């Protein structure tokens, strides 16, 4: 068997939400599935799930929305087989924006997100940029002998 693992990409380890929404977008489930499969394979891995929001509303509402987002991500991970004891959740509300307000005054939509931080046994390639990122292989080639 020959495996090629030289094509690697940075996969954001965050789930982005629509404004005022806390439901996980099905198009982003691949991020949660990847994390769940890693945590199931390495049960000593622990994550901190941190909810964020932009400051569209009051601090109390922003905090509650960010917590609801974090809880929903935790629930999806649980449904994908991650034990609750492998996860902690917190809400940053709009206190810790990773992305600045644009020069036009437009709030940065990427601040409506949940970050998944590894606090124990992180995967190879895990690092922090503006948001947590994991380097993952995007190409794998296998050559197996033909048996007659």
């Amino acid at each position: 068997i020959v495996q090629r693992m030289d094509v690697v990409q940075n996969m954001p380890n965050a789930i982005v939400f629509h404004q005022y929404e806390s439901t996980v977008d099905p198009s982003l489930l691949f991020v949660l599935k990847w994390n769940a499969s890693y945590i199931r394979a390495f049960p000593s891995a622990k994550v901190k799930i941190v909810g964020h929001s932009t400051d569209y509303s009051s601090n109390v509402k922003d905090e509650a929305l960010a917590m609801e987002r974090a809880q929903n991500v935790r629930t999806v991970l649980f449904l994908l087989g991650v034990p609750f004891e492998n996860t902690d959740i917190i809400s940053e509300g709009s206190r810790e924006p990773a992305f600045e307000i644009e020069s036009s005054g437009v709030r940065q939509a990427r601040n409506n997100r949940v970050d998944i931080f590894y606090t124990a046994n992180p995967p190879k390639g895990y690092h922090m940029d503006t948001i947590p990122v994991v380097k993952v292989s995007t190409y794998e080639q296998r050559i197996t002998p033909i048996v007659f």
Side-chain angles (χ1 to χ4, degrees), residues 5-117:
M5 303 296 280
D6 60 342
V7 179
V8 174
Q9 71 175 7
N10 285 331
M11 179 181 74
N13 212 27
I15 301 294
V16 180
F17 293 84
H18 295 289
Q19 181 179 341
Y20 306 120
E21 293 292 321
S22 63
T23 304
V24 175
D25 187 324
S27 70
L28 297 174
L29 280 177
F30 74 95
V31 175
L32 297 179
K33 287 178 180 178
W34 188 92
N35 282 280
S37 66
Y38 179 82
I39 297 167
R40 285 193 319 267
F42 299 95
S44 63
K46 306 266 189 232
V47 293
K48 178 171 66 171
I49 301 166
V50 182
H52 299 274
S53 65
T54 52
D55 58 347
Y56 286 104
S57 190
S58 71
N59 286 340
V60 172
K61 288 182 181 179
D62 292 340
E63 184 84 22
L65 177 59
M67 179 57 81
E68 189 174 332
R69 289 172 173 166
Q71 289 170 332
N72 287 345
V73 166
R74 184 185 206 191
T75 299
V76 172
L77 287 172
F78 176 75
L79 293 172
L80 292 170
V82 174
F84 276 127
E85 56 269 13
N86 288 62
T87 62
D88 288 318
I89 59 171
I90 64 169
S91 171
E92 289 290 341
S94 57
R95 292 189 307 269
E96 298 288 331
F99 302 96
E100 297 298 320
I101 294 176
E102 296 175 9
S103 59
S104 63
V106 175
R107 288 174 171 76
Q108 187 55 260
R110 292 180 293 174
N111 285 323
N112 289 314
R113 70 183 195 290
V114 167
D115 294 325
I116 302 170
F117 293 100

